[in-house]
Amino acid sequence: MAETATTSSKTYAEKHAERMARLKQLHTQRNEARASNHQEVIAEHERKKLPANWESRQRQAEWLMGDLKARTEAEEKGLDYNRVKMLNVSAAEADRIDKLKAKKRNADPGFSDYEAQTARQYNRLVKAMPPRDLVKYEEQKEKYGDAFYGGPNVILQGLHKDTPAAIDNMVKDLEGQIAKRKKFSRRRTHNDDADIDYINEKNARFNKKLERFYGEHTAEIKQNLERGTAI
């Protein structure tokens, strides 16, 4: 009986030791998870302080570093880096790059609406402007005073006089616009042999639209009206 009690006591001690070891392991894992969560919170807080485009800028910097390294290695081997780089580009990617380049070359997609047309013309005129002369700017600011910025109760008539160079630039720009407009809006030649079925130019354009859309459906009716055999 004494032997059995000793064996039972040892078994309980071993089970207790195992439970304590497991409990210690769980405590260690909890502490590790708590520390990891705390580090992640700190890292997320630091990321929020960074600019919105930080990740994209970081990816771009990594790409530039890799590109520079590959270019240096190609130059050391005496190879053309542009040709080596194109060997690793798929046909679909090359087609996409060509389309982007073509779009940049022809950034003006044409007329879409009057607002976009005005914006394009404004940007074109701003790019054509010469660099601002800060010395002259300060002189005019001191000369005109409050009238320099204008306002609802400021009369600007007679305060500013345009220079001959500015007038010449305006005339040159207007002449260029007129020449460009003539190139894209030519007047159609008049055909003396064509039937006159209109009373003015606006009515002629309207009749051409009707003929273009409904001419094939109304050809027989028109012929009967001209012959006088319409019912």
Side-chain angles (χ1 to χ4, degrees):
M1 291 293 296
E3 243 176 275
T4 307
T6 306
T7 306
S8 177
S9 175
K10 289 181 179 179
T11 303
Y12 174 79
E14 290 175 357
K15 289 182 179 181
H16 180 70
E18 290 177 358
R19 289 173 182 171
M20 293 301 294
R22 186 176 179 185
L23 183 61
K24 185 177 180 180
Q25 182 181 4
L26 291 175
H27 277 289
T28 304
Q29 292 177 354
R30 185 188 66 178
N31 292 334
E32 291 177 355
R34 183 182 297 171
S36 177
N37 290 338
H38 182 65
Q39 293 177 358
E40 186 64 28
V41 169
I42 295 175
E44 184 178 0
H45 182 67
E46 294 297 329
R47 284 196 298 269
K48 288 182 178 179
K49 295 181 180 179
L50 297 174
N53 60 343
W54 170 255
E55 294 182 357
S56 61
R57 289 170 59 184
Q58 190 175 15
R59 287 195 299 268
Q60 184 180 10
E62 292 175 354
W63 182 88
L64 289 175
M65 293 296 294
D67 185 73
L68 180 61
K69 182 179 179 181
R71 185 182 295 274
T72 304
E73 293 177 354
E75 290 177 354
E76 290 177 353
K77 296 178 181 179
L79 301 175
D80 186 359
Y81 176 68
N82 293 327
R83 297 189 63 181
V84 173
K85 184 170 65 173
M86 292 303 295
L87 291 175
N88 299 322
V89 177
S90 63
E93 183 67 15
D95 185 57
R96 187 182 68 84
I97 294 173
D98 290 340
K99 288 181 179 180
L100 287 176
K101 290 182 178 179
K103 187 176 181 180
K104 289 182 179 179
R105 285 195 299 267
N106 185 20
D108 187 358
F111 179 82
S112 56
D113 53 43
Y114 290 102
E115 183 179 358
Q117 183 184 17
T118 304
R120 287 197 300 271
Q121 185 179 13
Y122 172 78
N123 293 329
R124 178 179 61 81
L125 294 176
V126 169
K127 290 180 181 178
M129 289 176 62
R132 179 172 292 278
D133 188 354
L134 295 179
V135 177
K136 186 177 180 181
Y137 176 83
E138 293 296 334
E139 290 177 355
Q140 290 180 348
K141 184 178 179 181
E142 184 178 356
K143 177 181 178 181
Y144 298 126
D146 296 337
F148 180 77
Y149 296 103
N153 301 320
V154 178
I155 300 176
L156 301 177
Q157 181 67 26
L159 293 179
H160 178 74
K161 185 178 180 181
D162 295 321
T163 61
I167 296 175
D168 293 339
N169 289 334
M170 183 189 67
V171 173
K172 183 179 178 181
D173 182 74
L174 289 175
E175 289 177 349
Q177 292 183 27
I178 293 172
K180 188 176 181 180
R181 197 175 295 117
K182 286 182 179 179
K183 185 186 298 184
F184 290 101
S185 59
R186 58 184 178 85
R187 187 177 181 84
R188 287 352 184 225
T189 56
H190 178 69
N191 185 8
D192 294 331
D193 298 331
D195 295 333
I196 299 177
D197 57 353
Y198 53 88
I199 57 176
N200 51 36
E201 291 186 3
K202 185 176 181 181
N203 182 242
R205 290 194 297 269
F206 180 74
N207 290 343
K208 287 180 180 179
K209 289 182 181 179
L210 291 178
E211 182 66 24
R212 184 165 62 250
F213 291 106
Y214 304 106
E216 60 178 345
H217 306 292
T218 60
E220 184 178 356
I221 299 174
K222 187 175 181 181
Q223 292 174 3
N224 291 336
L225 289 172
E226 291 175 352
R227 289 194 301 264
T229 59
I231 300 176

